[in-house]
Amino acid sequence: MNFLSGFNANLLDGVKRLHFIGIGGSGMYPLVQILHARGYTITGSDVNEGSIIDSERAMGIQVFMGHDAKNVLGADMIVYSAAIHKDNPEIREADARGIPMLERSVLLGYVSRLYPRSICVAGTHGKTTATSMITSLLELAGQDPAAVIGGKLPLIGGYGKNGSGNTIVIEACEFAETFLHLTPDIAVLLNIDNDHLDYYGTMGQLKFAFKKFALMARHTIVANADDTNVVQVINSLDRAVRTFGINSEADYQAVNIREHKPGFYEFDVLEWGYPVAHLKLSAPGYHNIYNALAMAACCFTVGLTGEDAAAAAESFKGAGRRFEILGEFNGVTVADDYAHHPTEIAATLKTAHALGYNKVWAVHQPFTYSRTRELLDDFAKVLADTDQVVLTPIMGSREVDDGSVKSEDLAAKIPGCVVVAGLKEAADYVKEHAQPGDFVITMGCGDIYKAAHMMLE
């Protein structure tokens, strides 16, 4: 099949029309925005209507509902998301016609080189929030950046944007080494945790991928000095490194940390021991201090000021599906979060408990059988540390259910845990049992957010 991979500076030479298979995806949308603004004709197909497709049609883009061979006719190049199977009728037709095809992450690598400066944010946790904060920093400072973000940033009204400035900010995903298609000027390393081991096999291989990513930095590596795995990766690199941290004597260190209201933090930032900024966060959670420090380190690296960092920290109230407060029913507050790894769930629940509600409910949809099986005890430990847990069946995503693990196995390790048949059942159970003053948070990177919206309906 005629699949393209690797960097090609002439990738889009002679290309006038690009056809996106899975054009309604959040990862596709910023690429569509950027290339449409640069004069390319875009078409696309998807299987579900949605707000992204509404926005694309408003841009004048033709979007077909359903995948059909005739949709690719007239296209010079096909772009497909990782979720599209090779037996897709549009893939097969493009192959038969000799139309070049490339996966979204390959195109993202090409797009990242269209801008004089790229800031690429990698890490097992916090990528969307840190990328959003850095985008907010540049946007509020009048830099008009381009952006590709894994969550919705209210400030720019979407998952990314085409910018007229010289910088693009990109959420760099480590899954299947897709971040190695990028060429960052500034490579941000937030943390490295035991995830995607179904692909990497060992933590050593995962860290090696992050090392390769860091080595691609053309200007500076911005790294978390409090994360042992990150420190191991950067220790042997011959690149300019700027570190950030709370517990370490990093280049950028948070000191005088305190809550300005329950669950929300403010602190001073030291640059090499001297105070350069005071950051007051409008997004809750102690873990967001690290994301804000990464933003501050980038701020000074690109020549902006402490006032710019402070403005970004105070204006950023969170990205979509990142501790997103959705509303209230019968005195019960409902929120949604993307957390799908034990470390993320622990941080999310710690933040929820700090807000002072009567009882915290965790409604969790486990994502992929391999992760659930591998980290079963870790999931049980962090979920057991809340008041009430409701589990839906595991969402397999790209994996096939081999019967080796199910939500009931996890529930058996969590006192009082309830397993329900699906999203509607989860919403119904919460509506029936939650009391005024309770806080309910749905968690997972699948479609568990739908249950939260069902509660509010």
Side-chain angles (χ1 to χ4, degrees):
M1 284 190 165
N2 193 24
F3 295 112
L4 303 178
S5 62
F7 175 59
N8 175 2
N10 305 311
L11 182 71
L12 298 186
D13 285 3
V15 171
K16 294 179 180 176
R17 180 186 154 199
L18 290 140
H19 178 77
F20 287 72
I21 308 175
I23 197 169
S26 59
M28 292 290 215
Y29 184 36
L31 295 176
V32 168
Q33 289 175 290
I34 291 168
L35 292 170
H36 176 73
R38 287 175 177 258
Y40 291 94
T41 298
I42 308 288
T43 61
S45 62
D46 216 307
V47 292
N48 293 307
E49 297 282 359
S51 59
I52 290 176
I53 288 174
D54 291 342
S55 299
E56 289 165 338
R57 284 182 174 142
M59 293 161 59
I61 291 168
Q62 184 177 20
V63 179
F64 305 100
M65 269 300 112
H67 299 307
D68 191 301
K70 68 176 183 291
N71 293 343
V72 306
L73 299 181
D76 299 311
M77 183 170 284
I78 305 298
V79 184
Y80 61 94
S81 73
I84 302 299
H85 294 289
K86 300 298 187 287
D87 61 352
N88 179 283
E90 296 182 19
I91 294 280
R92 290 203 308 266
E93 184 67 17
D95 182 51
R97 292 179 175 272
I99 304 172
M101 294 178 279
L102 69 160
E103 200 269 321
R104 183 201 72 93
S105 61
V106 179
L107 181 63
L108 176 59
Y110 174 85
V111 166
S112 73
R113 296 170 179 87
L114 297 176
Y115 295 83
R117 180 170 62 203
S118 61
I119 301 173
C120 301
V121 183
T124 314
H125 319 298
K127 289 188 293 293
T128 298
T129 297
T131 306
S132 297
M133 283 188 177
I134 295 166
T135 302
S136 298
L137 165 77
L138 296 168
E139 185 78 5
L140 292 171
Q143 305 275 306
D144 194 19
V148 179
I149 309 172
K152 200 169 189 176
L153 175 58
L155 179 65
I156 61 174
Y159 297 85
K161 64 186 281 278
N162 172 61
S164 63
N166 68 355
T167 304
I168 184 169
V169 187
I170 297 173
E171 180 173 332
C173 182
E174 75 279 10
F175 173 68
E177 297 182 299
T178 54
F179 60 177
L180 299 186
H181 291 299
L182 303 170
T183 304
D185 290 286
I186 298 172
V188 181
L189 273 63
L190 298 171
N191 45 63
I192 304 172
D193 208 345
N194 57 346
D195 202 8
H196 302 306
L197 295 186
D198 54 319
Y199 174 83
Y200 288 102
T202 65
M203 278 298 292
Q205 288 299 314
L206 175 62
K207 285 189 278 190
F208 186 50
F210 273 89
K211 184 173 185 175
K212 288 189 280 188
F213 170 75
L215 280 168
M216 294 191 300
R218 295 182 290 196
H219 186 279
T220 306
I221 298 165
V222 172
N224 183 354
D226 286 352
D227 188 277
T228 303
N229 291 325
V230 168
V231 171
Q232 289 171 356
V233 162
I234 65 170
N235 265 348
S236 60
L237 302 185
D238 60 341
R239 294 289 186 280
V241 177
R242 290 196 176 187
T243 58
F244 62 90
I246 298 171
N247 306 316
S248 309
E249 288 188 3
D251 297 330
Y252 297 95
Q253 186 176 8
V255 297
N256 304 323
I257 299 170
R258 57 196 176 276
E259 287 181 289
H260 61 85
K261 62 180 179 180
F264 293 78
Y265 292 86
E266 63 180 313
F267 54 94
D268 296 316
V269 179
L270 303 183
E271 181 185 53
W272 304 307
Y274 292 91
V276 288
H278 179 80
L279 303 189
K280 186 177 183 180
L281 303 185
S282 295
Y286 190 86
H287 59 285
N288 275 323
I289 297 173
Y290 283 103
N291 295 321
L293 280 172
M295 178 270 291
C298 288
C299 173
F300 294 109
T301 300
V302 301
L304 294 175
T305 68
E307 289 75 20
D308 292 320
E314 191 153 15
S315 77
F316 178 75
K317 295 178 172 60
R321 299 217 61 216
R322 272 65 181 178
F323 212 90
E324 184 178 8
I325 307 291
L326 298 176
E328 191 179 290
F329 74 90
N330 299 337
V332 177
T333 301
V334 180
D336 177 56
D337 194 88
Y338 199 70
H340 57 282
H341 182 281
T343 302
E344 295 164 353
I345 290 172
T348 296
L349 292 177
K350 181 180 178 181
T351 301
H353 281 284
L355 298 180
Y357 289 90
N358 293 343
K359 190 174 175 182
V360 173
W361 289 63
V363 183
H364 178 53
Q365 179 188 53
F367 190 77
T368 73
Y369 304 103
S370 60
R371 181 187 284 118
T372 307
R373 184 172 56 248
E374 194 129 345
L375 304 177
L376 194 70
D377 289 339
D378 295 333
F379 277 116
K381 183 179 178 182
V382 298
L383 285 167
D385 200 25
T386 197
D387 300 305
Q388 178 66 58
V389 180
V390 178
L391 295 178
T392 69
I394 298 169
M395 176 176 261
S397 182
R398 56 191 175 269
E399 296 181 350
V400 176
D401 184 5
D402 64 0
S404 63
V405 67
K406 52 188 184 296
S407 291
E408 285 78 2
D409 299 323
L410 178 56
K413 295 174 176 283
I414 304 169
C417 181
V418 174
V419 181
V420 294
L423 302 179
K424 183 181 182 301
E425 290 80 2
D428 290 344
Y429 186 86
V430 171
K431 285 194 283 189
E432 192 175 330
H433 294 91
Q435 300 298 312
D438 287 356
F439 183 85
V440 178
I441 187 155
T442 54
M443 294 184 295
C445 63
D447 60 354
I448 186 64
Y449 63 89
K450 294 176 182 175
H453 289 286
M454 289 175 195
M455 294 172 202
L456 294 170
E457 286 165 8

